[in-house]
Amino acid sequence: MSTTAERDPLPRQDRGTRPDRSPKQDRSRATRQRLLEAAVACLAEHGWAGSTVTVVAERAGVSRGAAQHHFPTREDLFTAAVEYVSEERSLALRALFPDGAADRRAVVSAVVDLYTGPLFRAALHLWVAASNEDQLRPRVTELEARVGRETHRIAVDLLGADESRPGVRETVQGFLDMARGLGLANLLTDDAGRRRRVVAQWAALLEEALG
Amino acid sequence: MSTTAERDPLPRQDRGTRPDRSPKQDRSRATRQRLLEAAVACLAEHGWAGSTVTVVAERAGVSRGAAQHHFPTREDLFTAAVEYVSEERSLALRALFPDGAADRRAVVSAVVDLYTGPLFRAALHLWVAASNEDQLRPRVTELEARVGRETHRIAVDLLGADESRPGVRETVQGFLDMARGLGLANLLTDDAGRRRRVVAQWAALLEEALG
């Protein structure tokens, strides 16, 4: 991933606004993005065992050589993919509440939504594969810690939680653990009905606990 | 699994108390149990891709033929294994609190412990594999629903939760989702310190919510 970072040094918010980008850079960026999105979809559908650089390149309509130019190893491709889509979803979550702290029921519901759907499924496959694969484990551990910290920060902001008060940090953490557990419960069956009721009740509990 | 049930029709509580069991039946039962325990350990360590009947038979010190006599297919073996160990853990949880409803902090902590360790890891591998494998999905879905209902019943009893009060059912469900999320967070790193703090805080919140 450090290789990728060197090739793509712009912070996200600058992308698309720089007037001096060449068409070649644009094409390269578009290729990279197609690969990342195909990688997440592939992980979600086929799991780690069925996800290779070749399969993803085909799905993205990119040559294997071009894919390897962007992502030298399978681990590079899939960790970058989960990271990319996590960042996209974090940005989308913030964008839902442009004024920051908002109605807690709406925030709880939107945060839980992060953990249902293809991204969570893809991340879960990567996570579980990493628990048995030495090559993958340190990278996924580091990635999960980073994504987890960012999600915690967003949840604290949007819930208007005052972490200087005792217990508030753990209250928010437990809520995020619950959100991940709800994602897990949605893996094999459509759990939307039950989830809606749990979210309503826990939003009320959080409202009381956070004051 | 229906095959297994036909061969082993005794409810668990009768096992070991029937005076008329032959030594041959005892040996067969012991073999079956060794296979189930080896299967869970194998899933936890190597994941679904690395878990075959042959590997498990070797680990259990049982011939492949004997293993297939007990479990005709790979799916039979691994779903039976996760079910067996889940039942063992449910019994152990009830045994921790022989008088039923108990100190809520102790109960919350003991329930969360169900979701850390090798059984949860094994179940998670099976769960995630089932999300991509048509042969496995219906069986694991049914198994998870059954184990989930039983865990919910135990949690309600031990927490002394009155489900006739509005919101109590969803409070307990959300707590169990949180416990599964905490299990997930423990997959790649030892999360015991953070988990202890989250458990302490949410035990206090549940105490208030359940009254």
Side-chain angles (χ1 to χ4, degrees):
Chain A
M1 255 174 334
S2 66
T3 321
T4 308
E6 281 153 29
R7 278 195 206 112
D8 190 357
L10 293 181
R12 177 174 306 274
Q13 57 269 30
D14 291 346
R15 288 181 196 167
T17 60
R18 292 251 311 233
D20 56 350
R21 253 175 31 206
S22 71
K24 198 179 155 195
Q25 280 176 312
D26 281 340
R27 268 201 310 279
S28 170
R29 197 180 308 277
T31 301
R32 187 171 184 271
Q33 194 166 326
R34 274 217 307 286
L35 284 166
L36 294 173
E37 280 161 7
V40 165
C42 184
L43 253 186
E45 278 172 38
H46 306 298
W48 176 248
S51 293
T52 62
V53 177
T54 307
V55 169
V56 171
E58 243 172 59
R59 183 174 191 133
V62 169
S63 75
R64 195 158 183 278
Q68 282 186 320
H69 168 77
H70 284 276
F71 304 102
T73 70
R74 186 184 179 205
E75 287 77 17
D76 290 331
L77 172 58
F78 289 97
T79 51
V82 167
E83 177 163 31
Y84 167 76
V85 185
S86 301
E87 281 172 6
E88 293 287 309
R89 297 222 48 185
S90 293
L91 290 171
L93 179 58
R94 290 230 188 240
L96 273 183
F97 304 99
D99 303 326
D103 172 69
R104 285 197 176 122
R105 169 126 184 213
V107 170
V108 166
S109 179
V111 169
V112 167
D113 282 349
L114 281 184
Y115 296 97
T116 56
L119 168 63
F120 180 74
R121 187 180 288 250
L124 191 58
H125 278 294
L126 196 68
W127 213 339
V128 167
S131 77
N132 302 114
E133 297 211 11
D134 291 341
Q135 264 193 301
L136 204 51
R137 193 180 307 116
R139 301 182 63 160
V140 175
T141 304
E142 192 270 330
L143 170 62
E144 282 302 328
R146 202 144 29 89
V147 171
R149 275 194 302 273
E150 174 61 11
T151 310
H152 184 87
R153 250 193 309 269
I154 297 178
V156 165
D157 288 354
L158 297 185
L159 290 169
D162 174 6
E163 288 204 308
S164 69
R165 285 175 49 212
V168 165
R169 184 173 175 74
E170 290 75 19
T171 300
V172 175
Q173 286 182 336
F175 157 59
L176 290 172
D177 288 308
M178 186 199 67
R180 286 184 201 103
L182 284 169
L184 203 51
N186 200 52
L187 191 64
L188 296 182
T189 48
D190 177 0
D191 190 41
R194 186 190 74 95
R195 187 168 62 246
R196 224 180 349 258
R197 292 188 295 274
V198 170
V199 161
Q201 174 64 10
W202 274 60
L205 293 180
L206 280 170
E207 185 67 50
E208 260 184 65
L210 297 175
Chain B
M1 255 173 338
S2 65
T3 322
T4 308
E6 281 152 29
R7 278 194 206 112
D8 189 358
L10 293 179
R12 177 174 306 275
Q13 56 269 31
D14 291 345
R15 286 180 197 168
T17 60
R18 290 251 312 233
D20 57 347
R21 254 176 31 208
S22 71
K24 198 180 156 194
Q25 281 176 312
D26 280 341
R27 269 201 311 279
S28 171
R29 198 181 307 279
T31 300
R32 187 170 184 275
Q33 195 165 325
R34 275 217 308 284
L35 284 165
L36 294 172
E37 280 161 7
V40 165
C42 184
L43 253 185
E45 278 172 38
H46 306 298
W48 176 248
S51 293
T52 62
V53 177
T54 307
V55 169
V56 170
E58 243 172 60
R59 183 173 191 136
V62 168
S63 74
R64 193 157 184 278
Q68 282 186 321
H69 169 75
H70 283 277
F71 304 101
T73 71
R74 187 184 178 206
E75 287 77 17
D76 290 330
L77 172 58
F78 288 98
T79 51
V82 167
E83 177 163 33
Y84 168 76
V85 184
S86 300
E87 280 172 8
E88 293 287 309
R89 298 221 51 184
S90 292
L91 289 171
L93 179 57
R94 291 232 188 238
L96 272 183
F97 304 99
D99 303 325
D103 172 69
R104 284 195 178 124
R105 168 125 183 215
V107 170
V108 166
S109 180
V111 169
V112 167
D113 282 349
L114 282 183
Y115 297 97
T116 55
L119 168 62
F120 179 74
R121 186 181 288 250
L124 191 59
H125 278 294
L126 195 67
W127 213 340
V128 167
S131 77
N132 302 114
E133 298 211 11
D134 291 340
Q135 264 193 300
L136 204 51
R137 192 181 307 115
R139 302 183 59 160
V140 175
T141 303
E142 192 270 330
L143 170 63
E144 282 302 328
R146 202 143 30 89
V147 171
R149 275 194 302 272
E150 173 62 9
T151 310
H152 183 87
R153 251 194 306 271
I154 297 178
V156 165
D157 289 353
L158 298 184
L159 290 168
D162 175 6
E163 289 203 308
S164 69
R165 285 177 46 212
V168 165
R169 184 175 175 74
E170 290 73 21
T171 299
V172 175
Q173 285 182 336
F175 157 58
L176 290 172
D177 287 309
M178 188 190 68
R180 286 184 201 104
L182 285 167
L184 204 50
N186 200 52
L187 191 65
L188 297 182
T189 48
D190 177 1
D191 190 42
R194 186 190 75 95
R195 188 168 62 246
R196 223 178 352 256
R197 293 189 293 275
V198 169
V199 161
Q201 173 63 9
W202 275 95
L205 294 178
L206 283 172
E207 183 68 49
E208 262 182 64
L210 297 175

